[in-house]
Amino acid sequence: MRQHGKLEYGDHAAPQRTCVGCRVRTAKSELLRLVRVGNDVVPDLRGRLAGRGASLHPSLSCLELAERRRAFPRAFRVPGPLDVSRVRAHLEGEPPMSCRTPS
Ligand SMILES: [Zn+2]
């Protein structure tokens, strides 16, 4: 019977994450989890992709903020710029690239 560590967690009801765009702490469930695949940042819609994640409000303004602050390379600990076009497409509600036809 071991009892320890209880105080550390206190009464935290739900896990929280900080949005990499606006830096506001929000319940994890309200944020979009992003992961890095190569040089792309992609939305982890099912929460099943492995690796370091970043959290973002599902809004274009937070995505733009994150880009402006270069928050993604920092969040994913990589030196270079990352392509967020798949995240943007997701937030804009566009179909996947294979379905898109140039007009
Ligand atoms: Zn945000």
Side-chain angles (χ1 to χ4, degrees):
M1 291 256 176
R2 289 164 67 179
Q3 284 190 330
H4 67 99
K6 270 222 151 165
L7 281 175
E8 277 176 47
Y9 298 99
D11 289 327
H12 285 291
Q16 293 202 320
R17 292 288 183 276
T18 302
C19 171
V20 293
C22 63
R23 311 294 299 175
V24 170
R25 276 179 80 77
T26 309
K28 189 184 166 195
S29 54
E30 292 181 20
L31 294 165
L32 180 66
R33 181 175 137 87
L34 306 174
V35 295
R36 180 179 68 86
V37 178
N39 281 324
D40 291 325
V41 180
V42 300
D44 182 8
L45 299 178
R46 297 182 185 184
R48 283 162 62 178
L49 296 174
R52 177 175 289 280
S55 299
L56 184 82
H57 286 117
S59 93
L60 282 171
S61 57
C62 284
L63 175 64
E64 278 162 21
L65 265 175
E67 279 195 280
R68 225 175 297 155
R69 322 166 77 116
R70 301 185 197 195
F72 290 117
R74 215 181 310 150
F76 293 113
R77 310 245 173 117
V78 295
L82 293 167
D83 186 347
V84 298
S85 56
R86 284 175 67 178
V87 180
R88 178 173 289 119
H90 170 70
L91 294 178
E92 287 174 345
E94 285 181 26
M97 219 130 41
S98 54
C99 299
R100 239 186 276 166
T101 43
S103 49

Short mmCIF file of all heavy atoms in Angstrom, two decimals, residues 18-24 26 31 55-59 61-63 65, ligand 1:
data_model
loop_
_atom_site.label_atom_id
_atom_site.label_comp_id
_atom_site.label_asym_id
_atom_site.label_seq_id
_atom_site.Cartn_x
_atom_site.Cartn_y
_atom_site.Cartn_z
N THR A 18 -2.08 24.31 -23.99
CA THR A 18 -1.97 25.69 -24.43
C THR A 18 -2.01 25.73 -25.96
O THR A 18 -1.28 25.00 -26.62
CB THR A 18 -0.65 26.30 -23.94
OG1 THR A 18 -0.63 26.20 -22.52
CG2 THR A 18 -0.54 27.75 -24.35
N CYS A 19 -2.87 26.59 -26.47
CA CYS A 19 -2.94 26.77 -27.92
C CYS A 19 -1.64 27.41 -28.40
O CYS A 19 -1.19 28.41 -27.83
CB CYS A 19 -4.13 27.67 -28.25
SG CYS A 19 -4.21 28.20 -29.96
N VAL A 20 -1.02 26.82 -29.44
CA VAL A 20 0.24 27.36 -29.92
C VAL A 20 0.05 28.68 -30.65
O VAL A 20 1.01 29.39 -30.92
CB VAL A 20 1.01 26.37 -30.83
CG1 VAL A 20 1.48 25.16 -30.05
CG2 VAL A 20 0.17 25.97 -32.03
N GLY A 21 -1.20 29.03 -30.99
CA GLY A 21 -1.45 30.29 -31.66
C GLY A 21 -1.62 31.42 -30.66
O GLY A 21 -0.77 32.30 -30.54
N CYS A 22 -2.71 31.39 -29.92
CA CYS A 22 -3.01 32.51 -29.03
C CYS A 22 -2.48 32.30 -27.62
O CYS A 22 -2.58 33.21 -26.78
CB CYS A 22 -4.52 32.74 -29.00
SG CYS A 22 -5.45 31.35 -28.33
N ARG A 23 -1.92 31.15 -27.34
CA ARG A 23 -1.30 30.86 -26.05
C ARG A 23 -2.29 30.81 -24.89
O ARG A 23 -1.92 30.97 -23.74
CB ARG A 23 -0.20 31.89 -25.70
CG ARG A 23 0.78 32.15 -26.79
CD ARG A 23 1.64 30.98 -27.13
NE ARG A 23 2.46 30.54 -25.99
CZ ARG A 23 3.22 29.45 -26.01
NH1 ARG A 23 3.25 28.69 -27.08
NH2 ARG A 23 3.93 29.12 -24.98
N VAL A 24 -3.56 30.61 -25.20
CA VAL A 24 -4.56 30.50 -24.15
C VAL A 24 -4.69 29.04 -23.75
O VAL A 24 -4.72 28.15 -24.60
CB VAL A 24 -5.92 31.04 -24.65
CG1 VAL A 24 -7.04 30.72 -23.66
CG2 VAL A 24 -5.83 32.54 -24.88
N THR A 26 -6.65 25.91 -22.63
CA THR A 26 -8.02 25.47 -22.87
C THR A 26 -8.08 23.97 -22.62
O THR A 26 -7.06 23.28 -22.70
CB THR A 26 -8.40 25.75 -24.35
OG1 THR A 26 -8.10 27.10 -24.66
CG2 THR A 26 -9.87 25.51 -24.60
N LEU A 31 -9.30 21.53 -28.19
CA LEU A 31 -8.21 21.90 -29.08
C LEU A 31 -7.98 20.81 -30.12
O LEU A 31 -8.25 19.64 -29.88
CB LEU A 31 -6.93 22.12 -28.27
CG LEU A 31 -6.97 23.31 -27.31
CD1 LEU A 31 -5.84 23.22 -26.30
CD2 LEU A 31 -6.89 24.61 -28.07
N SER A 55 -1.03 21.72 -29.81
CA SER A 55 -2.46 21.93 -29.71
C SER A 55 -2.82 23.30 -30.26
O SER A 55 -2.10 24.27 -30.06
CB SER A 55 -2.90 21.83 -28.24
OG SER A 55 -2.61 20.55 -27.75
N LEU A 56 -3.94 23.34 -30.94
CA LEU A 56 -4.37 24.59 -31.57
C LEU A 56 -5.89 24.67 -31.50
O LEU A 56 -6.57 23.67 -31.72
CB LEU A 56 -3.92 24.59 -33.04
CG LEU A 56 -4.20 25.86 -33.83
CD1 LEU A 56 -3.13 26.90 -33.55
CD2 LEU A 56 -4.24 25.56 -35.32
N HIS A 57 -6.41 25.87 -31.22
CA HIS A 57 -7.85 26.05 -31.37
C HIS A 57 -8.19 25.78 -32.83
O HIS A 57 -7.44 26.20 -33.71
CB HIS A 57 -8.25 27.50 -31.04
CG HIS A 57 -8.23 27.80 -29.58
ND1 HIS A 57 -7.37 28.75 -29.03
CD2 HIS A 57 -8.95 27.30 -28.56
CE1 HIS A 57 -7.59 28.79 -27.72
NE2 HIS A 57 -8.52 27.94 -27.41
N PRO A 58 -9.29 25.12 -33.09
CA PRO A 58 -9.65 24.86 -34.48
C PRO A 58 -10.15 26.13 -35.16
O PRO A 58 -11.31 26.25 -35.53
CB PRO A 58 -10.74 23.79 -34.38
CG PRO A 58 -11.28 23.91 -33.00
CD PRO A 58 -10.21 24.51 -32.14
N SER A 59 -9.27 27.10 -35.31
CA SER A 59 -9.66 28.34 -35.97
C SER A 59 -8.50 28.88 -36.79
O SER A 59 -7.33 28.72 -36.43
CB SER A 59 -10.11 29.38 -34.94
OG SER A 59 -9.02 30.19 -34.57
N SER A 61 -7.64 31.90 -37.33
CA SER A 61 -6.89 33.01 -36.75
C SER A 61 -5.79 32.48 -35.82
O SER A 61 -4.70 33.03 -35.77
CB SER A 61 -7.82 33.97 -36.02
OG SER A 61 -8.56 33.30 -35.04
N CYS A 62 -6.07 31.40 -35.11
CA CYS A 62 -5.03 30.83 -34.26
C CYS A 62 -3.93 30.20 -35.11
O CYS A 62 -2.76 30.27 -34.77
CB CYS A 62 -5.62 29.81 -33.29
SG CYS A 62 -6.49 30.59 -31.92
N LEU A 63 -4.31 29.60 -36.22
CA LEU A 63 -3.31 29.02 -37.11
C LEU A 63 -2.40 30.12 -37.64
O LEU A 63 -1.17 29.97 -37.68
CB LEU A 63 -4.00 28.30 -38.28
CG LEU A 63 -3.06 27.75 -39.35
CD1 LEU A 63 -2.16 26.66 -38.79
CD2 LEU A 63 -3.85 27.20 -40.54
N LEU A 65 -1.83 33.04 -36.30
CA LEU A 65 -1.00 33.51 -35.18
C LEU A 65 0.20 32.59 -34.97
O LEU A 65 1.33 33.03 -34.80
CB LEU A 65 -1.82 33.56 -33.90
CG LEU A 65 -2.45 34.88 -33.52
CD1 LEU A 65 -3.32 34.69 -32.28
CD2 LEU A 65 -1.35 35.90 -33.21
ZN ZN B 1 -5.89 29.72 -29.92
#
